[in-house]
Amino acid sequence: MAQKPLRLLACGDVEGKFDILFSRIRAIQKKSGNFDLLLCVGNFFGSTPDAEWEEYKTGIKKAPIQTYVLGANNQETVKYFQDADGCELAENITYLGRKGIFTGSSGLQIVYLSGTESLNEPVPSYNFSPKDVSSLSTMLCTTSQFKGVDILLTSPWPKYVGNFGNSSGEVDTKKCGSALVSSLAMGLKPRYHFAALEKTYYERLPYRNHIVLQENAQHATRFIALANVGNPEKKKYLYAFSIVPMKLMDAAELVKQPPDVTENPYRKSGQEASIGKQIPAPVEESACQFFFDLNEKQGRKRSSTGRDSKSSPHPKQPRKPPQPPGPCWFCLASPEVEKHLVVNIGTHCYLALAKGGLSDDHVLILPIGHYQSVVELSAEVVEEVEKYKATLRRFFKSRGKRCVVFERNYKSHHLQLQIAQPGTAYFYVELDTGEKLFHRIKKNFPLQFGREVLASEAILNIPGKSDWRQCQISKEDEETLARRFRKDFEPYDFTLDD
């Protein structure tokens, strides 16, 4: 059965004209049926008085569709965006954040970059820098299976987008726009790229992402710039489209070329245009792989399949996992990881004792690569996470114990599944009875909620352990607990299977 397409709307600069925008959307949905999402680029807030916004903020009025917006492009509107990581601004209106990747439950992948370009460091909160763009590219483009993303949202146009294309009207794309955004679009290969700020509508002819006769065919990109809401010239500010997430599409269907496709506007003579050179390449660290048994049988190394590598002097190296934009306490290749707490390593995930755990066998399931939440995981990583969960349930059951799995995707940078599943913040709990609980976090969610509930008198009755910082023990004691867990867990260790 074919995947049902998502029906989306994209909008240009709202500039505080919320009533005009949402009245227009209600009329469209009444005539054409409901849409799944509204994506807003450009200036969401304007210089108009806040009275209209207050009605939405306080719940007197409500957006008729789930709306995702980019952040400030000037100092005047910074005040509306309190959390750089994104937050709910009003019911049905969510600020995505300064930069990142939003993955919906459908698998739709949206990359967003708020603000306008600045080449100076440090940048104010309404600008992005070469470092911001580089880290965003690194999150995605370092994997060998990366093909592109579904949607890219930026406020500025990409510089040179008019090259080889149809006329962009009064906007000179050789002078206007951001060279950093051009380079980002070149690397991410979005199927749709939306931008605003120039107060005009421009739908560029689709362009190809491969070099003809030199590279395998890839999908085309459609760039659409949208005008400002309620503009007197009645230029188009809303764009409706349907899309099936890339990861759910047949490969041959995905790479079909439109009849009017052009060359890539950011490439010169088969090479990247000079715009791409403005972004400093991220410093490459050695691709450290930690595929070692950490029990007391020293000297045995496993290949990426989890089997002994004695039979092959050159075991196949696993694909380099996604890299974090900065230091991460949970990426296995990071020097910040306290490796003495690691108790088991698989192909894509590993187990580690929790720092200041609720119990001696409180463990975390963590991906080896850098992923923020379960919805971002690739299929093979998800498969191993599930395998670890099933194995741990059997392990604890054999010892007369029960386990709870929980994940908090809120103000966290690396996925942590705790044992004692584009985009929105959430809290997820899975019981060993098979029950699953999901709560969408809106704002002001306690970071230690899961731990506090488990430590409460109603469950473990150890309220004094609700704060992990009060439960820390010496490194020597941690090493003792880790050795004990490895020994007890070894009969259940599926990574040692032949």
Side-chain angles (χ1 to χ4, degrees):
M1 184 176 177
Q3 173 71 26
K4 184 179 178 181
L6 296 166
R7 303 180 73 228
L8 308 184
L9 289 167
C11 179
D13 305 272
V14 180
E15 296 182 332
K17 298 177 181 177
F18 310 112
D19 288 346
I20 294 175
L21 170 63
F22 294 135
S23 293
R24 176 62 178 151
I25 289 176
R26 286 188 186 95
I28 291 172
Q29 295 197 131
K30 184 176 181 179
K31 180 180 179 180
S32 305
N34 288 338
F35 284 76
D36 296 292
L37 294 176
L38 168 65
L39 307 171
C40 296
V41 294
N43 294 312
F44 188 68
F45 295 98
S47 55
T48 54
D50 286 345
E52 193 171 310
W53 171 243
E54 282 298 318
E55 292 184 305
Y56 289 91
K57 186 177 178 181
T58 59
I60 296 173
K61 292 181 179 179
K62 176 183 173 182
I65 184 173
Q66 184 61 56
T67 304
Y68 291 93
V69 310
L70 293 182
N73 296 299
N74 52 63
Q75 181 63 54
E76 184 183 4
T77 56
V78 168
K79 62 184 179 181
Y80 296 103
F81 306 98
Q82 297 296 319
D83 191 336
D85 293 327
C87 58
E88 185 167 88
L89 303 178
E91 187 172 359
N92 271 3
I93 303 176
T94 301
Y95 164 46
L96 285 165
R98 288 195 65 186
K99 67 178 186 296
I101 306 153
F102 173 91
T103 305
S105 57
S106 62
L108 185 76
Q109 196 168 54
I110 302 171
V111 173
Y112 54 90
L113 178 65
S114 293
T116 56
E117 176 181 309
S118 174
L119 299 179
N120 300 316
E121 292 279 2
V123 296
S125 56
Y126 54 87
N127 288 146
F128 56 81
S129 68
K131 188 182 296 183
D132 291 323
V133 173
S134 178
S135 67
L136 195 52
S137 297
T138 303
M139 283 188 219
L140 287 162
C141 301
T142 53
T143 61
S144 62
Q145 292 185 341
F146 177 75
K147 296 178 180 178
V149 299
D150 291 305
I151 298 171
L152 173 61
L153 304 178
T154 64
S155 287
W157 289 30
K159 201 170 185 180
Y160 307 114
V161 70
N163 288 355
F164 313 123
N166 48 316
S167 171
S168 55
E170 63 268 33
V171 178
D172 184 350
T173 61
K174 289 181 172 61
K175 296 179 180 178
C176 294
S178 164
L180 293 178
V181 170
S182 304
S183 185
L184 184 64
M186 179 81 176
L188 294 184
K189 305 173 186 176
R191 295 165 66 197
Y192 285 88
H193 179 182
F194 294 99
L197 297 184
E198 300 296 337
K199 299 187 181 300
T200 192
Y201 170 71
Y202 173 51
E203 183 170 3
R204 190 201 185 281
L205 292 173
Y207 64 82
R208 61 176 63 96
N209 284 296
H210 63 278
I211 303 174
V212 178
L213 301 179
Q214 294 184 38
E215 298 175 330
N216 292 331
Q218 299 178 40
H219 60 272
T221 293
R222 289 170 167 81
F223 171 76
I224 298 105
L226 294 161
N228 48 313
V229 171
N231 65 85
E233 298 86 3
K234 298 188 182 301
K235 294 177 181 179
K236 189 170 182 175
Y237 63 83
L238 268 179
Y239 185 92
F241 64 111
S242 297
I243 186 170
V244 173
M246 179 185 294
K247 62 174 61 177
L248 301 180
M249 289 188 68
D250 175 76
E253 187 67 26
L254 177 64
V255 301
K256 279 185 177 178
Q257 302 294 295
D260 52 353
V261 69
T262 76
E263 287 299 320
N264 191 307
Y266 316 124
R267 184 184 284 127
K268 286 183 179 179
S269 304
Q271 302 294 325
E272 282 194 37
S274 58
I275 51 172
K277 297 176 183 177
Q278 295 190 21
I279 301 181
V283 177
E284 286 289 336
E285 297 181 359
S286 58
C288 302
Q289 301 293 345
F290 295 87
F291 286 75
F292 293 88
D293 288 317
L294 295 182
N295 55 26
E296 295 175 0
K297 299 176 182 178
Q298 299 296 326
R300 188 169 73 168
K301 186 176 181 180
R302 296 199 314 279
S303 70
S304 61
T305 62
R307 294 171 170 79
D308 287 351
S309 60
K310 294 176 183 177
S311 59
S312 173
H314 302 290
K316 181 182 177 181
Q317 290 298 310
R319 185 174 75 248
K320 186 179 180 181
Q323 301 297 302
C328 177
W329 291 97
F330 301 103
C331 284
L332 196 52
S334 170
E336 282 80 12
V337 170
E338 296 195 47
K339 295 184 174 63
H340 67 282
L341 293 173
V342 177
V343 293
N344 189 265
I345 302 179
T347 305
H348 306 287
C349 306
Y350 71 98
L351 293 182
L353 287 182
K355 188 81 172 176
L358 283 167
S359 62
D360 290 351
D361 45 15
H362 180 172
V363 294
L364 311 176
I365 302 176
L366 302 122
I368 290 172
H370 185 80
Y371 300 91
Q372 182 173 339
S373 67
V374 165
V375 295
E376 295 182 7
L377 299 181
S378 59
E380 64 265 24
V381 183
V382 170
E383 182 180 356
E384 191 164 278
V385 167
E386 293 301 320
K387 200 167 185 178
Y388 264 121
K389 288 196 290 187
T391 302
L392 284 164
R393 288 191 191 101
R394 291 196 305 272
F395 169 70
F396 286 121
K397 186 176 181 180
S398 72
R399 306 173 74 80
K401 298 182 178 182
R402 301 182 63 184
C403 66
V404 174
V405 179
F406 67 89
E407 178 197 359
R408 168 179 53 82
N409 181 32
Y410 176 69
K411 294 189 177 180
S412 59
H413 298 284
H414 192 114
L415 165 64
Q416 307 160 50
L417 276 179
Q418 308 209 26
I419 313 293
Q421 165 178 275
T424 54
Y426 62 82
F427 186 82
Y428 173 79
V429 180
E430 191 172 311
L431 307 179
D432 58 3
T433 58
E435 293 175 90
K436 299 177 181 179
L437 310 174
F438 180 90
H439 172 70
R440 181 182 165 216
I441 297 173
K442 295 186 177 180
K443 54 185 175 181
N444 301 328
F445 189 82
L447 298 183
Q448 298 298 325
F449 177 76
R451 185 182 179 105
E452 290 170 0
V453 170
L454 290 172
S456 67
E457 294 180 2
I459 302 181
L460 294 176
N461 194 21
I462 47 172
K465 289 192 171 185
S466 59
D467 186 344
W468 69 271
R469 289 165 295 192
Q470 304 301 318
C471 305
Q472 294 188 74
I473 57 178
S474 68
K475 183 176 180 180
E476 291 74 15
D477 288 342
E478 288 177 335
E479 290 173 338
T480 298
L481 291 180
R483 282 195 299 269
R484 184 187 306 163
F485 188 93
R486 292 183 200 117
K487 181 179 179 182
D488 293 342
F489 187 70
E490 186 171 3
Y492 299 85
D493 187 359
F494 62 84
T495 69
L496 300 178
D497 293 344
D498 290 328

